[in-house]
């Protein structure tokens, strides 16, 4: 378990599979990610096992509630680089700062634990929300890959972003300062069962 100021990250467990199954099949979550839909429970299991073999997969937990996934894979030791993926599984939980906190927590752990120089990721060019989240954690856009992916019947552009350890440290300090001023505004995740 990695504990951040407001969210924690724990390894993906078998009991998470039904929830991950729901998250991965959610049309809005799926649209911005890079896998085929529909996803079966067997696919979720296979994906989680591969994620464990090839990298470090976590569930993001706010309070005691699992709300999404984050992790690293494609570690290249010589270059001291790894690739990042993440999503908050329920759109009702978007916009509450959980992704930014989860990302800062993972990066703080990973830069230290794996002695990384850089973390990179790809995102859809129209994913403004993710772009903003990554920028707030120190990522910068490095390149646009035109018509790189075929999504739901059309070609779409992807953007490559990366963050160095120094840029991350600066972003983490700014976030800590901002957090000190807004501690009272951070809310517990909305429960979809009561909405
Ligand atoms: C992208 C995603 C992880 C962001 O999660 P989130 O919990 O809503 O993000 P946060 O609440 O931490 O917000 C992060 C920043 O984005 C900003 N933001 C929120 N909604 C936004 C929008 N529609 N457009 C632009 N910026 C937005 C927030 O204001 C915040 O910036 P700030 O700190 O300057 O205020 C989440 O929307 C998601 O899981 N989307 C589907 C899957 C996905 O896109 N994964 C990433 C693929 S690369």
């Amino acid at each position: 378990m990695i504990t951040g100021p407001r969210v924690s990250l724990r390894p993906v467990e078998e009991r998470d599979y039904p929830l991950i199954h729901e998250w991965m099949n959610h049309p809005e979550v799926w649209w911005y990610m890079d896998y085929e839909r529909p996803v079966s429970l067997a696919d979720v299991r296979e994906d989680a096992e591969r994620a464990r073999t090839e990298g470090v997969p976590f569930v993001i937990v706010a309070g005691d509630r699992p709300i999404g996934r984050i992790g690293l894979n494609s570690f290249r030791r010589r270059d001291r680089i790894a690739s990042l993926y993440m999503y908050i599984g329920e759109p009702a939980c978007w916009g509450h700062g959980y992704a930014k906190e989860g990302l800062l927590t993972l990066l703080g752990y990973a830069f230290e634990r794996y002695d990384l120089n850089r973390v990179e990721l790809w995102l859809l060019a129209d994913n403004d929300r993710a772009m903003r989240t990554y920028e707030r954690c120190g990522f910068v856009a490095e390149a646009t890959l035109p018509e790189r992916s075929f999504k739901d019947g059309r070609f779409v552009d992807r953007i490559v972003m990366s963050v160095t350890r120094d840029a991350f440290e600066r972003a983490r300090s700014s976030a800590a300062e901002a957090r000190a001023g807004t501690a009272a505004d951070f809310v517990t995740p909305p429960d979809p069962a009561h909405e």
Side-chain angles (χ1 to χ4, degrees):
M1 171 89 83
I2 308 168
T3 309
R6 287 160 175 166
V7 299
S8 52
L9 310 180
R10 64 160 170 76
V12 176
E13 294 163 10
E14 187 132 6
R15 65 183 159 117
D16 299 314
Y17 294 171
L19 199 47
I20 292 175
H21 182 236
E22 267 178 50
W23 292 341
M24 291 182 78
N25 281 305
H26 192 293
E28 278 183 272
V29 175
W30 166 81
W31 171 256
Y32 291 113
M33 301 298 292
D34 199 12
Y35 51 77
E36 297 305 318
R37 199 171 62 124
V39 175
S40 68
L41 258 180
D43 295 334
V44 169
R45 179 181 302 276
E46 195 181 308
D47 181 62
E49 281 163 11
R50 192 174 46 246
R52 262 181 231 115
T53 311
E54 297 177 358
V56 282
F58 295 102
V59 168
I60 304 170
V61 181
D64 56 2
R65 182 161 162 226
I67 58 164
R69 290 273 324 269
I70 190 166
L72 294 172
N73 56 26
S74 301
F75 282 84
R76 277 142 286 158
R77 303 286 172 206
R78 185 197 63 185
D79 303 326
R80 292 166 54 214
I81 192 168
S83 300
L84 179 131
Y85 57 88
M86 83 172 300
Y87 60 80
I88 301 295
E90 286 157 30
C93 291
W94 293 359
H96 292 270
Y98 299 126
K100 195 171 78 178
E101 291 288 337
L103 197 47
L104 290 169
T105 302
L106 177 78
L107 292 174
Y109 164 78
F111 273 116
E112 188 67 33
R113 169 73 177 75
Y114 301 105
D115 191 28
L116 296 172
N117 179 55
R118 187 178 290 268
V119 171
E120 68 182 9
L121 59 86
W122 289 20
L123 73 162
L124 289 184
D126 69 356
N127 195 349
D128 297 339
R129 189 185 293 270
M131 172 85 85
R132 177 78 183 148
T133 306
Y134 295 132
E135 283 171 349
R136 299 287 279 160
C137 297
F139 282 83
V140 292
E142 308 280 5
T144 299
L145 309 177
E147 302 195 353
R148 178 59 180 78
S149 300
F150 194 74
K151 278 296 276 195
D152 222 12
R154 66 187 169 93
F155 282 104
V156 290
D157 299 350
R158 283 202 188 263
I159 291 180
V160 181
M161 297 187 87
S162 75
V163 62
T164 60
R165 193 168 181 158
D166 286 349
F168 163 67
E169 293 297 352
R170 284 193 297 276
R172 178 159 65 173
S173 300
S174 308
E177 280 168 28
R179 198 184 299 121
T182 60
D185 297 338
F186 203 78
V187 294
T188 48
D191 184 344
H194 298 293
E195 283 178 356

